[in-house]
Amino acid sequence: QYAKKHHQHLQIYHQQIDVNTVDRLQLVNDLKPAIEQDELVLFYQPKLNLKLNKVTHVEALVRWQHPIRGMIPPDSFIPIAEKMGQMNALTNWVINQALDQYLLWQQQGVELSIAINISAENLKDDQFCQHILQMIKDKKVPIEALTLEITEDAVVADPEHAIKQLTELKQHGLKLSIDDYGTGYSSLAQLKQLPVDELKIDKSFVQNLMSSEDDKIIVSSTLQLAHNLGLKVVAEGIEDEGSLKWLTQRGCEMGQGFYLSKPVDAEKLTQWLAQSKYR
Ligand code: C2E
Ligand code: MG
Ligand code: MG
Ligand code: MG
């Protein structure tokens, strides 16, 4: 009796695990050919220069157009790519695509710098820096036109190694940005050592700025801290006009968020920009 009951219990437990595992494995198996067969697509979200009131940059954000599952957001497959050793292939694809888009915009007379997200996994690979630099050189894209966004926790994982890699990229002229700032527990000592140009305040502090006194205090202090360290600040997650004005008045250099535009494909971004007052 006990054995039977116990066995049933185990079976149910196993079935549950199996469904999830099969699901994950399927995505993992699909991802490699998806990268090779161009099932990935880059969306772009404007970064508004709040001093010039002009969109000077865009951030490239990857999506996966899965033939069966439809559009998969990056949070659903980047962690899998990271675990399964696919992150360098993915980032290489993203950089290559973004460089082509940069050149296409140049041909169309559209002047836009591009920010690319890189993961902690990328920084672990010693060849990664050299490879990025080579791609940029091969495509003849001016290196200052690119910014790399690195999440705060990517740096915390192995600060010494990250600092070494980032310093090399910076020496070659790449702009560096700390993404999701405020969520990753980096110490001020670590922040001071990083060769970065810009700090992106995480959207969780910005989304409800107008209704939260605490968020206002956090954002003002972060602006002060960053400026005192000689860093520019980007606020992500601006969802209303009030927040945009508040940030502009307090000297925040750049803003990004649904109030301006959601991430859209390159063609839509070009159209949006053409009719926007932020040209
Ligand atoms: P992230 O780099 O911090 O990008 C900002 C995310 O916030 C994007 O989500 C964007 O759509 C969203 N967002 C922007 N403005 C607003 C707003 O006003 N309100 C709200 N609620 N959300 C806003 P997305 O595109 O789903 O990307 C999620 C994360 O996936 C990114 O966060 C980044 O960490 C990662 N990711 C995306 N593309 C890549 C990539 O090519 N490589 C790597 N390594 N990571 C990527
Ligand atoms: Mg980012
Ligand atoms: Mg972010
Ligand atoms: Mg994020």
Side-chain angles (χ1 to χ4, degrees), residues 50 201 206 209-210 219 223 233 235-236 238 242-255:
L50 299 175
I201 304 182
V206 179
L209 199 52
M210 288 302 93
V219 172
L223 275 163
V233 179
E236 64 172 26
I238 300 175
S243 304
L244 183 72
K245 287 208 169 124
W246 191 94
L247 289 157
T248 307
Q249 280 163 6
R250 278 156 190 82
C252 184
E253 279 82 3
M254 284 206 167

Side-chain angles (χ1 to χ4, degrees), residues 264-276:
V264 289
D265 65 38
E267 203 181 317
K268 283 221 184 71
L269 194 278
T270 317
Q271 285 165 7
W272 175 86
L273 193 61
Q275 55 79 54
S276 154

Side-chain angles (χ1 to χ4, degrees), residues 125-148:
D125 177 6
D126 283 322
Q127 319 245 287
F128 178 71
C129 289
Q130 281 314 314
H131 194 74
I132 294 193
L133 294 168
Q134 194 59 47
M135 278 198 282
I136 298 169
K137 214 170 159 189
D138 290 347
K139 300 252 178 196
K140 301 193 173 62
V141 169
I143 201 153
E144 322 79 60
L146 286 190
T147 303
L148 298 185

Side-chain angles (χ1 to χ4, degrees), residues 146-157:
L146 286 190
T147 303
L148 298 185
E149 297 190 359
I150 304 111
T151 52
E152 200 185 354
D153 54 321
V155 176
V156 176

Side-chain angles (χ1 to χ4, degrees), residues 149-213:
E149 297 190 359
I150 304 111
T151 52
E152 200 185 354
D153 54 321
V155 176
V156 176
D158 186 354
E160 246 173 74
H161 188 65
I163 289 166
K164 190 170 149 266
Q165 299 266 82
L166 295 177
T167 304
E168 187 179 342
L169 291 169
K170 171 80 181 160
Q171 276 167 353
H172 283 86
L174 269 168
K175 294 211 170 60
L176 302 175
S177 174
I178 292 289
D179 208 345
D180 299 352
Y181 181 74
T183 63
Y185 309 103
S186 66
S187 69
L188 289 178
Q190 283 167 342
L191 190 62
K192 205 183 91 182
Q193 280 185 66
L194 289 174
V196 295
D197 305 275
E198 141 190 317
L199 215 150
K200 284 185 90 168
I201 304 182
D202 191 66
K203 56 177 177 285
S204 58
F205 305 111
V206 179
Q207 274 170 319
N208 306 310
L209 199 52
M210 288 302 93
S211 57
S212 162
E213 289 312 306

